[in-house]
Structure formats: C-alpha cells, structure tokens
Amino acid sequence: MKVIDIKNLDISILPTKKVEEFRSFNIYPYFEKDFDFKKVENIDLNKYSFLKDEHFINIFFVNNKIVLEDKIDEFIEITYENFENSFNSLYKLNSYLDKEVTTLKIKKELEKPLNIINIFEGDNKFFTSSLNIEAKVNCDILETFHNEINKDSFISANRKYLVKKDIKANIAKVQTLNNAQIIVNYKTQVEENATLNLVNLEYKANLAVNIFDSKLEYENANFNFDGIIKNNENQKSANIMFVEHIAKSSISDVKIKHLLDGQAHALFDVASKVQNSALYSKAFQNSQTILLSDDARINANPRLEIFIDELEAAHGASCGALDEDQLYYLCSRGISKEKAKEMIIDSIELKVIKRIELKAIRRYIKNLKRLNHV
C-alpha cells in the first residue's frame, strides 16, 4: 500500500522543486513506496532497558500505545482524543490509520523528569506515532526516538504541546534512528504568561523533516526552539516552521545549528508572521551552518512578515567551515587534525545541549550519544 493512495492526501506543503527551485528537496518518492502497515506485536522491551534511567520516570511509546514502566497515575492522566485539523495536511495523515490520539495530561509536579521512549521495530514498515502533551504544571520532559538497524522504515509522528497559563514546559527530543525516514508534525499552544522551551537533537536518520504549526494567541506567550542537526553521507533534514504572533507581547525565538558532512543536505525554512494585534512582540530566527565537506549543502530561508512597528524582530543565516584558527591552535598543542575537528564539533553541539535546563537530561543525552557513536 502506498501512502500517496490514502484519501488522495494533499502533501503540497512538502518542499519540492515544483514549489521553489532553490529548495531542491524533493521527498515525494518516499510517499510512493510500498510499505508494510502491519504492526509488529509482542515487542520484547527488555532489550531496550538500556534506554531507561533511574533518574527519570520512564514510559515506552510503542505501536502508538503507552507501555508503563513506572507508576504515573498520581502525576499524569492518560486520555484519548480525536485528531485535530491543521493547515499542514500531513497532520491528518495518521488519522487514516489510527482512530485516536494518546494524550498525557501532566496534572501534578513530577518527582523526576519524564522520559518517553519511542521504539520502532521492523523492516519496510510504516509507523505512526501520535501524542499530545498537556502541561498543567511546570515540567521537564525528554522524548527518545530509537530503533534497531531497520531497513527502509518510515515514521509519521504528530506532536501537540499545550502549555497552560503561567506554566513553563521544557521538552527535549533526541533522535538516533538508523536507516529510517521520519516526519514530525508539531502543533504548539502556549497560553498567557506561559513558556515552551523545545530542544531538538537529530542524528543518523536518512531523512528527518520537522513541520511546525505554532500560533501565539495569548499575551506574554513564549516559544523558544533550539536545534542541532548532524548529518553525513546522503542524509537529509528539513525544518519547516510557521509561527504566527497574534497576541500582545508574545515571543518566538528559533535557532538551529547544522553540522553537515559528506553529501548531506539540510533545509531551514522558517516564516514568522506578526499580526497588527501583536503589539510589543519579539520574533527572532537564526540558522548557523558548518559545512564539513565540499558536497554538503544548506538551503536557508528565514523570513518575517510584519504588520506593525512596535516590536523587536531579527532574522539571519550564516554558513561556513570550521574555524581554521581554532584548528591550528589545537593542532599546535599536539592534537591530531581529526581529533581537533571532533573537539570543535562537540563544542558546537554542547552549546545547544546546554540550552536544556535539567542536568539529568543533559547527562542522559551524553550517554545516549556515546552508545550510538554520534
């Protein structure tokens, strides 16, 4: 069964040469493959125990279902809801295959941060993963996306983050997917005086696309996004983001760093619209790219659409190679050139990882990177 056959799905939002020549990022062929839609049942989660950590509340999310490892009833309510609409037609794709969306309502402050471990197992599979997270209290959440070395698997994931009034939610996603393609469709809703901090770390997937639908409809709502994209060989990644400021004094800040080697290709396509009702708002966008080979490439298109004067706004994109002065300095201390490159790249990654407030999450990510050799 080909995904493109499902309800004549309109995927015109996806970047292709048909839309804008500069993008050169055609992923339509991924939707024309024949996939196996049958879920792998009775997955042995014991072999993924290394992904659990005693410093976290650990839950698995497998085959679009929550599998509880730790008791959470006191802190989290699990409900099931209907799929929502979005301007992004891919957000409705999962509704053709699943009846409901799993919703985690965090109703009481957690004793430990929450680790949601997403497992995908099987060759030539089409996986769906639909999850809403509603933060009614301040919380720290980590989502881990992991698979075995599967062949040609495709993941269609939906995430909706709702942050209630006066609440701060810190959410990090670390993705170490082997030989996989993944599209994550996001919706974010941040209420009055609330803050959503997202940090996204992507490694190893053959294709990774993030599409954001973010509306700042409440006064003093804050949405901050930091990402690191580390690609090599022929890996592709894209961040396509639509942020609309509607309420006064709302803030959005989008920053993504790309580390591209081999023939890797990345797309940064971020559009922020500030409506005339969004007085005194702030809208920032920034793409920074290090090209580690002559064949790696980045298409960066930050853009602002502003209808008022009373605001702060800035956007930019930079692209270059590793700092030769830093390389020279390290090599002059007896460090090999390859090791010096590795140290500089690690320092760039660390700046993004340090955006994660909780030390336990930073430590978990460091250990996971070591296990996955990224």
Side-chain angles (χ1 to χ4, degrees), residues 67-293:
V67 181
L68 298 179
E69 290 291 307
D70 297 320
K71 184 175 174 60
I72 64 170
D73 293 353
E74 181 182 352
F75 307 98
I76 300 173
E77 179 185 356
I78 301 176
T79 61
Y80 300 92
E81 301 178 3
N82 294 326
F83 283 84
E84 295 185 359
N85 289 318
S86 169
F87 80 92
N88 172 12
S89 56
L90 286 175
Y91 200 85
K92 287 287 277 187
L93 171 60
N94 290 6
S95 68
Y96 302 140
L97 301 170
D98 301 304
K99 294 180 179 179
E100 296 175 312
V101 181
T102 302
T103 297
L104 298 181
K105 296 182 180 181
I106 303 173
K107 58 186 180 180
K108 181 179 178 181
E109 288 200 19
L110 303 171
E111 295 178 336
K112 294 184 284 188
L114 177 65
N115 184 16
I116 304 170
I117 304 168
N118 296 266
I119 298 297
F120 307 95
E121 191 172 292
D123 293 339
N124 200 41
K125 293 288 186 180
F126 188 93
F127 300 100
T128 58
S129 175
S130 299
L131 184 64
N132 298 338
I133 297 176
E134 182 177 329
K136 296 183 175 181
V137 295
N138 296 336
C139 56
D140 294 276
I141 299 170
L142 172 66
E143 273 211 84
T144 306
F145 282 71
H146 182 81
N147 68 346
E148 297 297 293
I149 302 178
N150 299 338
K151 180 181 177 183
D152 292 331
S153 60
F154 192 103
I155 302 162
S156 174
N158 286 357
R159 291 296 182 269
K160 179 184 177 183
Y161 301 133
L162 169 59
V163 185
K164 303 297 284 185
K165 181 180 177 181
D166 299 323
I167 297 301
K168 180 168 75 171
N170 300 315
I171 302 177
K173 184 188 83 174
V174 59
Q175 176 175 298
T176 55
L177 294 169
N178 296 283
N179 297 329
Q181 289 75 227
I182 181 170
I183 293 181
V184 186
N185 304 290
Y186 294 90
K187 289 187 73 172
T188 66
Q189 183 178 332
V190 184
E191 294 190 355
E192 186 177 354
N193 299 319
T195 298
L196 172 60
N197 295 320
L198 289 180
V199 178
N200 193 3
L201 310 171
E202 293 188 358
Y203 309 99
K204 301 184 78 171
N206 290 344
L207 171 76
V209 178
N210 301 304
I211 304 174
F212 289 83
D213 177 3
S214 300
K215 289 182 172 61
L216 297 170
E217 302 175 282
Y218 295 86
E219 191 169 341
N220 295 316
N222 295 284
F223 171 58
N224 303 304
F225 180 86
D226 288 270
I228 187 81
I229 310 296
K230 190 176 180 182
N231 287 350
N232 55 38
E233 299 177 347
N234 292 304
Q235 295 169 349
K236 293 183 177 182
S237 67
N239 282 276
I240 304 168
M241 189 174 296
F242 300 89
V243 182
E244 184 176 11
H245 290 254
I246 299 171
K248 290 195 300 184
S249 302
S250 53
I251 299 173
S252 66
D253 191 359
V254 179
K255 298 186 293 291
I256 300 179
K257 296 182 185 294
H258 305 85
L259 298 165
L260 307 179
D261 205 349
Q263 295 180 305
H265 182 197
L267 172 67
F268 176 92
D269 192 356
V270 178
S272 297
K273 179 183 288 189
V274 184
Q275 300 288 8
N276 55 19
S277 57
L279 295 168
Y280 316 118
S281 291
K282 299 178 182 181
F284 305 112
Q285 309 166 359
N286 189 262
S287 166
Q288 296 181 345
T289 303
I290 300 294
L291 297 178
L292 302 170
S293 74

Side-chain angles (χ1 to χ4, degrees), residues 345-355:
I345 290 170
D346 285 345
S347 71
I348 294 170
E349 288 186 70
L350 187 60
K351 289 179 181 178
V352 177
I353 293 172
K354 281 186 173 180
R355 296 281 184 177

